[in-house]
Amino acid sequence: MKYLFKNQLWALALIALLFSCEPRGNERPRGKYDSGILLMNEGAFGANDGEVFHYDPSSGTLSQNIFELENGRPFAGLLEDLVLEEDRLYLVANTGKVEIVNPGTFKSIGAVVGDLDQPRSVATSREKLFISDYGPYDASYNTPDSFVAVVSGELGGTVKKKIEVSNKPEDLYVFGKYVFVAGSEEGKIEIIDADTETVTKTLEVTGTPVQFFEQRGDLWLYSYDSQKVYFQSINPTNLTKKELRQFSVANATSRITFGEDDRIYLLTSSGWPNYNDGIAVLSLFDSTLIPSWKTGSGFYGIGFDKDRKEIYVANAKGFQGNGEVVVYRKDGSVVKTLEVGRGPSGFLVR
């Protein structure tokens, strides 16, 4: 799940909570989905039955198919990402659409449909929506026409421009007027100027880059190959690379989450035919490296609840029916097992 914690916004919210005596009239009332954990079920290819479940850890209540429940229609797509931007939640389907909902009520407030192929993630800058998209497959199942789509409004609409980028763009990160794009197949960071809607700079990186994140005030990019994982720090002000750190973790995947004490949890998988999966734990700032914190088969997504210090591991069960989510304590003991939808793959902790 490609969700960036916006420190400044949360700091302002905390100050308002601590020092205000009167509720402000323009504050959005808290909805029933503004707390708890959103569980993203990718869905099965061909069935396009991706959906979102909501889990309340305090009560143990699991609400199913909340998009359909709140909008009276199925989501009807394969869910790739959930991205929270202030008072908008973007549901990205790699089957060619982006739905936008109110994050508290899950009621639809907009959409981008048409002129998208395989969208992967979204970000907003300059009141525009930027969508990374693999583009269509060619006859050899390559994606030579990958792009970042530009939509004029943050609440969706039509695609007004496609910015050509390297093959298979993944995560996006915004700093000022710049939109950073993780170009996974060709090992690049492409930097788009949101004002001119053009690529202004390209940085070569090691491994397959898939996700940006912030830790200890720095911007980092996570990438991997068959034998190692890589973390490249970036200076977003002058658009340059800083420090590269690498760890010997074999068979890493793109699935990653961030725990307390700067711990990073990531999924590994040997792939077909054995699917020997695991969870590695490491830190960028000390000597922590646990290559096999947990092992199993069918691991497909991972998340971390910092309030309860619990790790959520999604298991797709080979897409043979519905999957499950196992909740672990940091010591590896099981808290709970949840029966979820098809292809559970990500979490958004509210």
mmCIF file of all heavy atoms in Angstrom, residues 130 146-148 150 161-166 177-181 188-203 239:
data_model
loop_
_atom_site.group_PDB
_atom_site.id
_atom_site.type_symbol
_atom_site.label_atom_id
_atom_site.label_comp_id
_atom_site.label_asym_id
_atom_site.label_seq_id
_atom_site.Cartn_x
_atom_site.Cartn_y
_atom_site.Cartn_z
ATOM 1 N N PHE A 130 -2.329 13.208 -10.619
ATOM 2 C CA PHE A 130 -1.345 12.499 -11.434
ATOM 3 C C PHE A 130 -1.493 11.001 -11.170
ATOM 4 O O PHE A 130 -1.535 10.567 -10.015
ATOM 5 C CB PHE A 130 0.070 12.971 -11.100
ATOM 6 C CG PHE A 130 0.344 14.391 -11.503
ATOM 7 C CD1 PHE A 130 -0.064 15.448 -10.695
ATOM 8 C CD2 PHE A 130 0.976 14.684 -12.701
ATOM 9 C CE1 PHE A 130 0.171 16.759 -11.058
ATOM 10 C CE2 PHE A 130 1.213 15.998 -13.084
ATOM 11 C CZ PHE A 130 0.801 17.045 -12.256
ATOM 12 N N SER A 146 4.083 3.190 -21.370
ATOM 13 C CA SER A 146 3.713 3.604 -20.017
ATOM 14 C C SER A 146 3.657 5.126 -19.925
ATOM 15 O O SER A 146 4.339 5.846 -20.659
ATOM 16 C CB SER A 146 4.728 3.060 -19.013
ATOM 17 O OG SER A 146 4.718 1.652 -18.978
ATOM 18 N N PHE A 147 2.858 5.621 -18.965
ATOM 19 C CA PHE A 147 2.677 7.073 -18.866
ATOM 20 C C PHE A 147 2.209 7.463 -17.465
ATOM 21 O O PHE A 147 1.829 6.610 -16.651
ATOM 22 C CB PHE A 147 1.661 7.556 -19.899
ATOM 23 C CG PHE A 147 0.290 6.935 -19.784
ATOM 24 C CD1 PHE A 147 -0.704 7.513 -18.991
ATOM 25 C CD2 PHE A 147 -0.027 5.758 -20.468
ATOM 26 C CE1 PHE A 147 -1.972 6.941 -18.888
ATOM 27 C CE2 PHE A 147 -1.286 5.176 -20.371
ATOM 28 C CZ PHE A 147 -2.266 5.774 -19.582
ATOM 29 N N VAL A 148 2.255 8.751 -17.198
ATOM 30 C CA VAL A 148 1.586 9.342 -16.046
ATOM 31 C C VAL A 148 0.476 10.236 -16.594
ATOM 32 O O VAL A 148 0.736 11.168 -17.358
ATOM 33 C CB VAL A 148 2.551 10.155 -15.172
ATOM 34 C CG1 VAL A 148 1.785 10.952 -14.111
ATOM 35 C CG2 VAL A 148 3.565 9.240 -14.496
ATOM 36 N N VAL A 150 -2.557 12.980 -16.435
ATOM 37 C CA VAL A 150 -2.838 14.223 -15.724
ATOM 38 C C VAL A 150 -4.324 14.542 -15.846
ATOM 39 O O VAL A 150 -4.876 14.539 -16.955
ATOM 40 C CB VAL A 150 -2.011 15.398 -16.284
ATOM 41 C CG1 VAL A 150 -2.251 16.668 -15.456
ATOM 42 C CG2 VAL A 150 -0.533 15.052 -16.315
ATOM 43 N N LYS A 161 -3.901 14.856 -20.365
ATOM 44 C CA LYS A 161 -2.559 14.685 -20.920
ATOM 45 C C LYS A 161 -1.960 13.395 -20.408
ATOM 46 O O LYS A 161 -2.250 12.962 -19.290
ATOM 47 C CB LYS A 161 -1.669 15.872 -20.530
ATOM 48 C CG LYS A 161 -0.277 15.839 -21.146
ATOM 49 C CD LYS A 161 0.515 17.099 -20.820
ATOM 50 C CE LYS A 161 1.890 17.073 -21.481
ATOM 51 N NZ LYS A 161 2.649 18.317 -21.219
ATOM 52 N N LYS A 162 -1.108 12.779 -21.245
ATOM 53 C CA LYS A 162 -0.336 11.617 -20.836
ATOM 54 C C LYS A 162 1.147 11.954 -20.988
ATOM 55 O O LYS A 162 1.604 12.269 -22.084
ATOM 56 C CB LYS A 162 -0.693 10.393 -21.689
ATOM 57 C CG LYS A 162 -2.113 9.896 -21.486
ATOM 58 C CD LYS A 162 -2.391 8.662 -22.335
ATOM 59 C CE LYS A 162 -3.799 8.126 -22.106
ATOM 60 N NZ LYS A 162 -4.077 6.919 -22.927
ATOM 61 N N ILE A 163 1.871 11.876 -19.865
ATOM 62 C CA ILE A 163 3.297 12.170 -19.868
ATOM 63 C C ILE A 163 4.050 10.860 -20.023
ATOM 64 O O ILE A 163 3.940 9.962 -19.187
ATOM 65 C CB ILE A 163 3.712 12.870 -18.563
ATOM 66 C CG1 ILE A 163 2.874 14.132 -18.347
ATOM 67 C CG2 ILE A 163 5.198 13.200 -18.577
ATOM 68 C CD1 ILE A 163 3.042 14.744 -16.961
ATOM 69 N N GLU A 164 4.817 10.725 -21.072
ATOM 70 C CA GLU A 164 5.562 9.492 -21.325
ATOM 71 C C GLU A 164 6.646 9.302 -20.268
ATOM 72 O O GLU A 164 7.429 10.225 -19.995
ATOM 73 C CB GLU A 164 6.196 9.530 -22.714
ATOM 74 C CG GLU A 164 6.947 8.258 -23.074
ATOM 75 C CD GLU A 164 7.552 8.320 -24.462
ATOM 76 O OE1 GLU A 164 7.205 9.249 -25.220
ATOM 77 O OE2 GLU A 164 8.384 7.435 -24.778
ATOM 78 N N VAL A 165 6.702 8.106 -19.673
ATOM 79 C CA VAL A 165 7.736 7.770 -18.700
ATOM 80 C C VAL A 165 8.281 6.381 -19.025
ATOM 81 O O VAL A 165 7.816 5.719 -19.948
ATOM 82 C CB VAL A 165 7.192 7.811 -17.247
ATOM 83 C CG1 VAL A 165 6.799 9.228 -16.856
ATOM 84 C CG2 VAL A 165 6.022 6.849 -17.059
ATOM 85 N N SER A 166 9.247 5.917 -18.237
ATOM 86 C CA SER A 166 9.834 4.600 -18.471
ATOM 87 C C SER A 166 8.829 3.503 -18.135
ATOM 88 O O SER A 166 7.799 3.752 -17.501
ATOM 89 C CB SER A 166 11.106 4.431 -17.643
ATOM 90 O OG SER A 166 10.832 4.545 -16.264
ATOM 91 N N LYS A 177 6.328 21.469 -6.314
ATOM 92 C CA LYS A 177 5.764 21.319 -7.655
ATOM 93 C C LYS A 177 6.261 20.062 -8.365
ATOM 94 O O LYS A 177 5.905 19.813 -9.516
ATOM 95 C CB LYS A 177 6.093 22.548 -8.514
ATOM 96 C CG LYS A 177 7.556 22.662 -8.911
ATOM 97 C CD LYS A 177 7.733 23.788 -9.928
ATOM 98 C CE LYS A 177 9.181 23.867 -10.419
ATOM 99 N NZ LYS A 177 9.316 24.878 -11.498
ATOM 100 N N TYR A 178 7.079 19.269 -7.674
ATOM 101 C CA TYR A 178 7.666 18.100 -8.316
ATOM 102 C C TYR A 178 6.932 16.812 -7.951
ATOM 103 O O TYR A 178 6.578 16.590 -6.792
ATOM 104 C CB TYR A 178 9.138 17.968 -7.952
ATOM 105 C CG TYR A 178 9.984 19.105 -8.470
ATOM 106 C CD1 TYR A 178 10.559 20.031 -7.605
ATOM 107 C CD2 TYR A 178 10.190 19.277 -9.839
ATOM 108 C CE1 TYR A 178 11.324 21.075 -8.079
ATOM 109 C CE2 TYR A 178 10.949 20.329 -10.336
ATOM 110 C CZ TYR A 178 11.517 21.226 -9.447
ATOM 111 O OH TYR A 178 12.267 22.268 -9.931
ATOM 112 N N VAL A 179 6.719 15.971 -8.953
ATOM 113 C CA VAL A 179 6.118 14.657 -8.771
ATOM 114 C C VAL A 179 7.179 13.620 -9.120
ATOM 115 O O VAL A 179 7.632 13.529 -10.267
ATOM 116 C CB VAL A 179 4.875 14.461 -9.664
ATOM 117 C CG1 VAL A 179 4.258 13.082 -9.433
ATOM 118 C CG2 VAL A 179 3.841 15.559 -9.403
ATOM 119 N N PHE A 180 7.606 12.848 -8.108
ATOM 120 C CA PHE A 180 8.615 11.812 -8.305
ATOM 121 C C PHE A 180 7.913 10.509 -8.703
ATOM 122 O O PHE A 180 6.927 10.110 -8.080
ATOM 123 C CB PHE A 180 9.409 11.597 -7.019
ATOM 124 C CG PHE A 180 10.282 12.765 -6.625
ATOM 125 C CD1 PHE A 180 9.728 13.920 -6.111
ATOM 126 C CD2 PHE A 180 11.652 12.699 -6.764
ATOM 127 C CE1 PHE A 180 10.524 14.997 -5.739
ATOM 128 C CE2 PHE A 180 12.467 13.762 -6.405
ATOM 129 C CZ PHE A 180 11.894 14.919 -5.883
ATOM 130 N N VAL A 181 8.438 9.841 -9.719
ATOM 131 C CA VAL A 181 7.843 8.619 -10.254
ATOM 132 C C VAL A 181 8.854 7.477 -10.127
ATOM 133 O O VAL A 181 9.995 7.608 -10.574
ATOM 134 C CB VAL A 181 7.457 8.793 -11.740
ATOM 135 C CG1 VAL A 181 6.741 7.553 -12.255
ATOM 136 C CG2 VAL A 181 6.608 10.044 -11.944
ATOM 137 N N LYS A 188 14.523 3.640 -12.676
ATOM 138 C CA LYS A 188 14.654 5.092 -12.776
ATOM 139 C C LYS A 188 13.713 5.805 -11.804
ATOM 140 O O LYS A 188 12.662 5.284 -11.447
ATOM 141 C CB LYS A 188 14.324 5.563 -14.193
ATOM 142 C CG LYS A 188 15.274 5.062 -15.267
ATOM 143 C CD LYS A 188 14.843 5.555 -16.649
ATOM 144 C CE LYS A 188 15.811 5.068 -17.721
ATOM 145 N NZ LYS A 188 15.413 5.532 -19.072
ATOM 146 N N ILE A 189 14.130 7.002 -11.412
ATOM 147 C CA ILE A 189 13.225 7.983 -10.817
ATOM 148 C C ILE A 189 13.052 9.084 -11.845
ATOM 149 O O ILE A 189 14.035 9.715 -12.258
ATOM 150 C CB ILE A 189 13.796 8.593 -9.524
ATOM 151 C CG1 ILE A 189 14.079 7.530 -8.473
ATOM 152 C CG2 ILE A 189 12.824 9.636 -8.964
ATOM 153 C CD1 ILE A 189 14.810 8.071 -7.257
ATOM 154 N N GLU A 190 11.835 9.297 -12.286
ATOM 155 C CA GLU A 190 11.559 10.392 -13.206
ATOM 156 C C GLU A 190 10.821 11.487 -12.449
ATOM 157 O O GLU A 190 9.902 11.209 -11.684
ATOM 158 C CB GLU A 190 10.755 9.888 -14.395
ATOM 159 C CG GLU A 190 11.644 9.102 -15.351
ATOM 160 C CD GLU A 190 10.905 8.015 -16.117
ATOM 161 O OE1 GLU A 190 10.261 7.174 -15.484
ATOM 162 O OE2 GLU A 190 10.985 8.010 -17.350
ATOM 163 N N ILE A 191 11.250 12.728 -12.629
ATOM 164 C CA ILE A 191 10.745 13.852 -11.852
ATOM 165 C C ILE A 191 9.972 14.774 -12.790
ATOM 166 O O ILE A 191 10.523 15.325 -13.743
ATOM 167 C CB ILE A 191 11.889 14.603 -11.160
ATOM 168 C CG1 ILE A 191 12.690 13.627 -10.285
ATOM 169 C CG2 ILE A 191 11.334 15.744 -10.316
ATOM 170 C CD1 ILE A 191 13.990 14.189 -9.757
ATOM 171 N N ILE A 192 8.679 14.897 -12.493
ATOM 172 C CA ILE A 192 7.778 15.692 -13.314
ATOM 173 C C ILE A 192 7.559 17.057 -12.674
ATOM 174 O O ILE A 192 7.320 17.148 -11.464
ATOM 175 C CB ILE A 192 6.429 14.967 -13.493
ATOM 176 C CG1 ILE A 192 6.612 13.672 -14.296
ATOM 177 C CG2 ILE A 192 5.390 15.867 -14.160
ATOM 178 C CD1 ILE A 192 5.365 12.806 -14.339
ATOM 179 N N ASP A 193 7.641 18.111 -13.468
ATOM 180 C CA ASP A 193 7.258 19.454 -13.032
ATOM 181 C C ASP A 193 5.748 19.557 -13.193
ATOM 182 O O ASP A 193 5.227 19.482 -14.310
ATOM 183 C CB ASP A 193 7.971 20.502 -13.889
ATOM 184 C CG ASP A 193 7.706 21.924 -13.436
ATOM 185 O OD1 ASP A 193 6.525 22.247 -13.132
ATOM 186 O OD2 ASP A 193 8.650 22.724 -13.391
ATOM 187 N N ALA A 194 5.033 19.710 -12.075
ATOM 188 C CA ALA A 194 3.565 19.711 -12.132
ATOM 189 C C ALA A 194 3.016 20.931 -12.854
ATOM 190 O O ALA A 194 1.882 20.894 -13.344
ATOM 191 C CB ALA A 194 2.991 19.634 -10.719
ATOM 192 N N ASP A 195 3.776 22.004 -12.918
ATOM 193 C CA ASP A 195 3.309 23.204 -13.625
ATOM 194 C C ASP A 195 3.385 23.025 -15.136
ATOM 195 O O ASP A 195 2.425 23.307 -15.863
ATOM 196 C CB ASP A 195 4.132 24.423 -13.198
ATOM 197 C CG ASP A 195 3.856 24.842 -11.765
ATOM 198 O OD1 ASP A 195 2.727 24.600 -11.279
ATOM 199 O OD2 ASP A 195 4.757 25.410 -11.117
ATOM 200 N N THR A 196 4.528 22.536 -15.618
ATOM 201 C CA THR A 196 4.700 22.375 -17.065
ATOM 202 C C THR A 196 4.241 21.007 -17.551
ATOM 203 O O THR A 196 4.105 20.789 -18.754
ATOM 204 C CB THR A 196 6.180 22.566 -17.440
ATOM 205 O OG1 THR A 196 6.974 21.535 -16.795
ATOM 206 C CG2 THR A 196 6.674 23.935 -16.986
ATOM 207 N N GLU A 197 4.032 20.067 -16.617
ATOM 208 C CA GLU A 197 3.579 18.712 -16.935
ATOM 209 C C GLU A 197 4.545 18.014 -17.881
ATOM 210 O O GLU A 197 4.163 17.369 -18.856
ATOM 211 C CB GLU A 197 2.160 18.744 -17.513
ATOM 212 C CG GLU A 197 1.143 19.330 -16.540
ATOM 213 C CD GLU A 197 -0.220 19.570 -17.158
ATOM 214 O OE1 GLU A 197 -0.420 19.172 -18.333
ATOM 215 O OE2 GLU A 197 -1.081 20.155 -16.484
ATOM 216 N N THR A 198 5.847 18.156 -17.552
ATOM 217 C CA THR A 198 6.898 17.514 -18.327
ATOM 218 C C THR A 198 7.912 16.888 -17.369
ATOM 219 O O THR A 198 8.055 17.313 -16.217
ATOM 220 C CB THR A 198 7.642 18.526 -19.223
ATOM 221 O OG1 THR A 198 8.179 19.571 -18.401
ATOM 222 C CG2 THR A 198 6.710 19.124 -20.259
ATOM 223 N N VAL A 199 8.618 15.862 -17.850
ATOM 224 C CA VAL A 199 9.712 15.263 -17.080
ATOM 225 C C VAL A 199 10.915 16.197 -17.160
ATOM 226 O O VAL A 199 11.413 16.494 -18.248
ATOM 227 C CB VAL A 199 10.076 13.868 -17.613
ATOM 228 C CG1 VAL A 199 11.299 13.321 -16.872
ATOM 229 C CG2 VAL A 199 8.899 12.913 -17.459
ATOM 230 N N THR A 200 11.393 16.672 -16.003
ATOM 231 C CA THR A 200 12.491 17.629 -15.980
ATOM 232 C C THR A 200 13.827 16.989 -15.630
ATOM 233 O O THR A 200 14.884 17.555 -15.906
ATOM 234 C CB THR A 200 12.210 18.745 -14.974
ATOM 235 O OG1 THR A 200 12.092 18.181 -13.661
ATOM 236 C CG2 THR A 200 10.925 19.485 -15.323
ATOM 237 N N LYS A 201 13.793 15.798 -14.993
ATOM 238 C CA LYS A 201 15.041 15.145 -14.613
ATOM 239 C C LYS A 201 14.796 13.660 -14.415
ATOM 240 O O LYS A 201 13.708 13.251 -14.002
ATOM 241 C CB LYS A 201 15.601 15.763 -13.328
ATOM 242 C CG LYS A 201 17.027 15.319 -12.998
ATOM 243 C CD LYS A 201 17.628 16.139 -11.858
ATOM 244 C CE LYS A 201 19.081 15.756 -11.625
ATOM 245 N NZ LYS A 201 19.716 16.601 -10.568
ATOM 246 N N THR A 202 15.827 12.858 -14.704
ATOM 247 C CA THR A 202 15.766 11.414 -14.501
ATOM 248 C C THR A 202 16.995 10.971 -13.717
ATOM 249 O O THR A 202 18.117 11.378 -14.025
ATOM 250 C CB THR A 202 15.724 10.669 -15.852
ATOM 251 O OG1 THR A 202 14.541 11.064 -16.570
ATOM 252 C CG2 THR A 202 15.679 9.165 -15.624
ATOM 253 N N LEU A 203 16.770 10.147 -12.682
ATOM 254 C CA LEU A 203 17.848 9.599 -11.869
ATOM 255 C C LEU A 203 17.878 8.085 -12.020
ATOM 256 O O LEU A 203 16.841 7.435 -11.913
ATOM 257 C CB LEU A 203 17.647 9.961 -10.388
ATOM 258 C CG LEU A 203 17.513 11.440 -10.031
ATOM 259 C CD1 LEU A 203 17.168 11.594 -8.547
ATOM 260 C CD2 LEU A 203 18.785 12.200 -10.364
ATOM 261 N N LEU A 239 16.929 17.747 -6.137
ATOM 262 C CA LEU A 239 16.641 16.639 -7.049
ATOM 263 C C LEU A 239 17.871 15.766 -7.309
ATOM 264 O O LEU A 239 18.176 15.395 -8.456
ATOM 265 C CB LEU A 239 16.075 17.164 -8.381
ATOM 266 C CG LEU A 239 14.917 18.174 -8.282
ATOM 267 C CD1 LEU A 239 14.431 18.563 -9.663
ATOM 268 C CD2 LEU A 239 13.779 17.636 -7.441
#
